Structure formats: C-alpha cells, structure tokens
Amino acid sequence: MSNPVAIHTLSGTSRLAGVMGWPVSHSKSPRLQGYWLAKYGVDGSYMPLPVAPENFAASVRALRDLGFAGVNVTIPFKQAVFAVCDELSDRAKRIGAVNTVTFSADGKILGDNTDGFGFIENLRQSVPDIDFSSGPAVILGAGGASRAVIVALLDENCPQIRLINRTAKRAHDLADEIGDDRITVVNGPIGDADLCDASLLVNTTSLGMVGQPALEIDLAGLAQNTIVTDIVYAPLKTDLLLQAEARGNQVVDGLGMLLHQARPGFHKWFGIDPVVTSALREFVLSPV
Ligand code: ATR
C-alpha cells in the first residue's frame, strides 16, 4: 500500500472526554480537542455528546461511572450542571456557570468555569505587554459571557468596569450579583466620556455575529491606545473590530477565547497544557 491510512486506536487505558450539549453538532470543541490529542500523541478521545435536557443529570453521572476523565458542558446546560456538581471552583461560583467538569478519582463531580481564563489568556497572547490594571474597561452586554469577562478582569485588578446593556436592569442586576464597587453601570447610550480614557473595550453581546443585527457604536471618542476585543468570532473581524482597526486601535478577535478556554480541561483530563497556535486557529476554522 503506497498511502497507508492513519489509524487512530485507543488502548484499554485511554482517557475519555467530550462535550455535552443540546444540540451539540455546532460545537468546535471536538475538532479543537482532537487536534491537540493528535498533536501530543495522547492515548485518549474527545467526543460530541448530544444529551436531551431531561437526561442531563443522569448522563453526567453515567459518564463518571463509565470512567470518563471529564466533560465540557455547553448550551443549555451551563447552569443546570451546577446542581449536579459535588464541588465548584471559586471562579465557577462567581461566574454562576460551569463549562468544564472533571471526575475525581473518588467519584466526585468537580465543576469549573474557564471562560474568563480564556478571555484573559487570549488578550495576553495577542498583546503580551497588556496590563489589565492600567485603566477602565468598557463592557458591552450583561449576559453570561459578560459575567465571566467581568469576574476575570476584576481578578486582574482592573480598576473600573463600565457596564452597558440594552436592558439596563440586567446590567444593574449583574453588578449587584457580582458585588464589587469597581463596577459602574452606564445608563443610556455610551458616550465619549465613557470611552476617552478606557484601556479596554469588549463586546460580549451577540451583535455583529453572522445572522444577528450589527453593533452600532460611535468610536470617535475612543482613546488611541484602547485595546478593542469582541467575543464574537463569526465573522472573525466583526464590524466593531474593523472600525477600531481603521482608526488605529489594536484589536483582538474572539476565536482565541474559545481556544484558550479549552486548555484547562485538556490539561486536567489528558495531562498536558496545550499550546494555542495559528495552525490550530486555521484547523478549527477550516471545514470538516
Ligand atoms: P451570553 O451567555 O452569550 O452572554 P445572553 O446571556 O443571552 O448570552 O446575553 C446576550 C447579550 O447580548 C445581552 O447583553 C443582550 O442584551 P439584553 O440583556 O438587553 O437582552 C445582548 N443582546 C442580544 N441581542 C441584542 C440586540 N439586538 N441589541 C442589543 N443587545 C443585544
């Protein structure tokens, strides 16, 4: 045979993990984790696990009983998984959601949230000298992603968070839940005074995503040294990032957050802290 097929086999001691969601077919995690498994030659597997909501809790326990190392949890289970976990990391409690579950040797279900870690690590990789304590951060949106971003920025000693959301009440509720006096809710449209001294501007809303309305924001008052980032990664360069780039601001796209948030799970389950590279970015974006 001139072109032998690369055969992926598992041993009797393979480590197993996957992603639970409903549906889960859209998830990039199997491709992402699969890339690292192949790259590092790990004796393990990571699979998509579609689970109907009524079967969710029993399925998590079943995976533990089947000897899985752990699972990622995605929509719509990021909150439901709370009740199934025996222990929660401090950041999972503060973010109010779990995306990474590990089964301990003694059968405990441990919940963690790595979204904030992914957000910070993405910015650090793209802007190595970034200093999160250097000035205010302006955060657009007050949903689940916003909460993870805010908690992570507070942990990095960000001096002030200016939080703005279409539904102002949701922003106030989020600020109250996090309970840190560095968070200020901006009522009404964002103005130059909110932007002129910001170190960081983050879109955590779904605006600008393929199929969603555009994010409309006037960046005229934004400082030149403000770093602008978007958690949306489809398209990779959102209108916000294009607009910011055109006026000379440094921009960071959202794909890296997805890639970096996966690192702690891979590390716990398979024993290696994997590297995020441009080759991985291309692989994850390329059609299956
Ligand atoms: P996620 O968990 O991804 O953060 P989410 O909790 O549904 O998702 O939050 C979505 C965010 O996008 C919210 O801040 C939402 O604003 P509201 O709280 O006012 O709903 C924001 N968002 C979604 N569609 C929007 C739109 N058309 N205009 C303005 N904001 C929008």
Side-chain angles (χ1 to χ4, degrees), residues 90-91 94 149-158 182:
D90 181 52
R91 60 190 179 183
R94 290 167 63 223
V149 165
I150 291 172
V151 166
L153 286 172
L154 292 172
D155 285 350
E156 293 294 332
N157 298 318
C158 182
R182 287 174 288 169

Side-chain angles (χ1 to χ4, degrees), residues 129-140:
D129 62 350
I130 193 165
D131 177 3
F132 295 101
S133 68
S134 66
V138 176
I139 311 291
L140 312 175

Side-chain angles (χ1 to χ4, degrees), residues 199-224:
S199 291
L200 187 64
L201 171 62
V202 188
N203 175 43
T204 74
T205 76
S206 46
L207 295 176
M209 191 188 293
V210 174
Q212 298 290 320
L215 170 64
E216 281 165 23
I217 183 170
D218 182 359
L219 297 182
L222 191 67
Q224 205 63 48

Side-chain angles (χ1 to χ4, degrees), residues 26 28 203 205-215 230-240 242 285:
H26 66 281
K28 294 195 184 304
N203 175 43
T205 76
S206 46
L207 295 176
M209 191 188 293
V210 174
Q212 298 290 320
L215 170 64
D230 203 323
I231 68 157
V232 170
Y233 58 83
L236 261 188
K237 281 279 174 73
T238 59
D239 281 346
L240 171 67
L242 289 171
L285 289 174

Side-chain angles (χ1 to χ4, degrees), residues 8-274:
H8 177 66
T9 58
L10 297 174
S11 78
T13 56
S14 292
R15 307 278 291 168
L16 301 178
V19 53
M20 303 177 83
W22 187 252
V24 83
S25 51
H26 66 281
S27 173
K28 294 195 184 304
S29 295
R31 208 162 156 73
L32 161 56
Q33 299 268 346
Y35 179 93
W36 283 330
L37 288 170
K39 171 172 176 158
Y40 295 108
V42 175
D43 178 19
S45 188
Y46 183 100
M47 56 205 84
L49 301 165
V51 186
E54 61 272 24
N55 297 328
F56 176 71
S59 298
V60 175
R61 296 191 184 101
L63 291 174
R64 173 199 57 194
D65 297 344
L66 286 164
F68 269 58
V71 278
N72 284 125
V73 177
T74 188
I75 294 165
F77 301 129
K78 283 189 174 189
Q79 269 92 36
V81 66
F82 246 76
V84 188
C85 289
D86 298 308
E87 287 173 24
L88 295 164
S89 68
D90 181 52
R91 60 190 179 183
K93 283 185 208 159
R94 290 167 63 223
I95 294 170
V98 163
N99 72 342
T100 305
V101 169
T102 301
F103 302 122
S104 69
D106 60 353
K108 288 223 167 70
I109 301 173
L110 313 176
D112 190 14
N113 190 308
T114 66
D115 285 333
F117 170 88
F119 174 77
I120 296 291
E121 288 291 296
N122 181 35
L123 285 169
R124 278 222 175 94
Q125 187 173 37
S126 305
V127 188
D129 62 350
I130 193 165
D131 177 3
F132 295 101
S133 68
S134 66
V138 176
I139 311 291
L140 312 175
S146 171
R147 187 162 171 163
V149 165
I150 291 172
V151 166
L153 286 172
L154 292 172
D155 285 350
E156 293 294 332
N157 298 318
C158 182
Q160 194 192 20
I161 305 276
R162 294 173 186 156
L163 176 60
I164 182 157
N165 194 47
R166 171 180 61 178
T167 313
K169 181 179 182 312
R170 211 172 164 202
H172 285 285
D173 289 349
L174 180 57
D176 289 347
E177 279 167 35
I178 297 175
D180 190 303
D181 59 14
R182 287 174 288 169
I183 306 173
T184 304
V185 174
V186 178
N187 292 302
I190 200 152
D192 289 357
D194 305 308
L195 295 173
C196 65
D197 60 347
S199 291
L200 187 64
L201 171 62
V202 188
N203 175 43
T204 74
T205 76
S206 46
L207 295 176
M209 191 188 293
V210 174
Q212 298 290 320
L215 170 64
E216 281 165 23
I217 183 170
D218 182 359
L219 297 182
L222 191 67
Q224 205 63 48
N225 61 353
T226 307
I227 295 163
V228 181
T229 187
D230 203 323
I231 68 157
V232 170
Y233 58 83
L236 261 188
K237 281 279 174 73
T238 59
D239 281 346
L240 171 67
L241 298 187
L242 289 171
Q243 201 186 325
E245 205 168 46
R247 57 189 303 289
N249 289 85
Q250 198 164 0
V251 302
V252 179
D253 70 53
L255 180 62
M257 178 175 173
L258 172 80
L259 306 180
H260 283 281
Q261 65 76 32
R263 282 172 42 208
F266 189 90
H267 192 192
K268 280 181 199 145
W269 308 323
F270 303 116
I272 294 164
D273 183 10

